[in-house]
Amino acid sequence: MFDRTVEILKEFVDGDEEITMDSALIDDLGLSSLDVINVVAAFEDEFDIEVPDRVIPTLRTVKDIVDYLEENAE
């Protein structure tokens, strides 16, 4: 799940920033809040899930995304 998460995130990250489980989406990867919403939409499309709006603010790191996907995606 981590590798696929990184592949999707790389579409939104400028440059060759290293993406680790501890990378913060905004602080480390330089994503804006709009980018985060677009990232979530990409994960929804890729994994055929719906992420509730109330969950989006809790997705602060790559680990948060991976954990959410592992719990909710098939």
Side-chain angles (χ1 to χ4, degrees):
M1 190 67 70
F2 173 74
D3 292 335
R4 187 64 191 123
T5 301
V6 169
E7 286 177 34
I8 293 170
L9 284 171
K10 283 185 176 184
E11 297 173 21
F12 296 91
V13 175
D14 292 331
D16 292 328
E17 186 71 38
E18 180 182 2
I19 299 174
T20 68
M21 286 290 274
D22 295 326
S23 296
L25 302 179
I26 294 173
D27 294 336
D28 296 331
L29 302 181
L31 299 179
S32 69
S33 55
L34 180 58
D35 290 332
V36 172
I37 291 169
N38 290 331
V39 164
V40 169
F43 285 114
E44 288 176 328
D45 290 344
E46 177 67 25
F47 294 101
D48 195 30
I49 61 170
E50 185 172 330
V51 179
D53 289 343
R54 71 183 189 296
V55 171
I56 295 172
T58 68
L59 303 176
R60 295 185 181 107
T61 66
V62 174
K63 182 180 184 322
D64 294 337
I65 293 173
V66 170
D67 289 347
Y68 184 84
L69 292 173
E70 286 178 345
E71 291 174 15
N72 296 281
E74 294 182 17

